[in-house]
Amino acid sequence: MRLVIEQDYAAMSAWAAEHVIKRINEFGPTADRPFVIGLPTGSTPIGMYQELAKACQAGRISFKNVITVNMDEYVGLEPSHPESYHYFMKSNFFDHIDIDPKNTHLLNGLAENTTAECQAYEEMIQSLGGIDLFIGGIGSDGHIAFNEPGSSLASRTREVRLMPETIRDNSR
């Protein structure tokens, strides 16, 4: 893990976007060898997503051979629901870059069997060869990707009960 401290939100967003651009461009993804990136949701990465979209539109980066894997989704929400992370990612990032929608992966919040959905998600990540770069978000209570404080660092994709502070932080 790397901790970078910037003077403000705009500088942090720009730094994060430049880091993503550098890593993807250095990797040189192709259709046969895509770059796999883990992405967060919430308010913190929006500035980074805006900077990445500008860079894509300017031709500095392409997401054509990038595969995204998102960290979380709410159980019970349709992908089109404004509070779902499918909706969040589409409206804040995917709609503004040149990514193939089949290369964007989010958990199915409507899965009848969440345990099986989580296992299938883990298997999909493994089939991709893992994640080349993971951008994490940390909640005010220290949660990372809805892994509430006290969660094992070795934990994998699973359904969790959110703490009241996490629910407050994520309510829009």
Side-chain angles (χ1 to χ4, degrees), residues 30-147:
T30 65
D32 294 331
R33 189 174 155 260
F35 186 88
V36 181
I37 186 169
L39 296 175
T41 53
S43 57
T44 303
I46 291 174
M48 176 187 73
Y49 292 147
Q50 291 169 340
E51 292 297 320
L52 288 169
K54 284 185 220 170
C56 182
Q57 292 160 8
R60 295 183 53 226
I61 183 75
S62 174
F63 293 90
K64 287 181 181 174
N65 295 309
V66 172
I67 295 175
T68 67
V69 179
N70 271 79
M71 295 190 275
D72 33 47
E73 181 56 283
Y74 292 109
V75 172
L77 290 185
E78 300 263 349
S80 60
H81 190 286
E83 299 300 318
S84 81
Y85 286 133
H86 281 80
Y87 184 92
F88 176 91
M89 289 305 297
K90 192 169 171 8
S91 62
N92 285 292
F93 191 43
F94 299 149
D95 282 352
H96 309 284
I97 60 173
D98 63 347
I99 195 161
D100 185 334
K102 74 175 174 42
N103 287 341
T104 63
H105 301 281
L106 291 99
L107 288 155
N108 176 5
L110 297 177
E112 288 184 31
N113 182 334
T114 56
T115 301
E117 171 67 9
C118 292
Q119 180 62 36
Y121 204 71
E122 285 290 327
E123 291 169 3
M124 180 268 303
I125 292 169
Q126 288 176 353
S127 75
L128 296 171
I131 297 173
D132 297 304
L133 175 64
F134 197 91
I135 307 293
I138 301 175
S140 63
D141 65 355
H143 76 264
I144 300 173
F146 287 165
N147 289 293

Side-chain angles (χ1 to χ4, degrees), residues 5-9 11-12:
I5 298 172
E6 289 291 340
Q7 68 184 36
D8 58 23
Y9 179 76
M12 181 271 304

Side-chain angles (χ1 to χ4, degrees), residues 19-34:
H19 182 71
V20 170
I21 291 165
K22 179 180 180 204
R23 289 288 307 273
I24 292 172
N25 285 340
E26 285 178 352
F27 185 90
T30 65
D32 294 331
R33 189 174 155 260

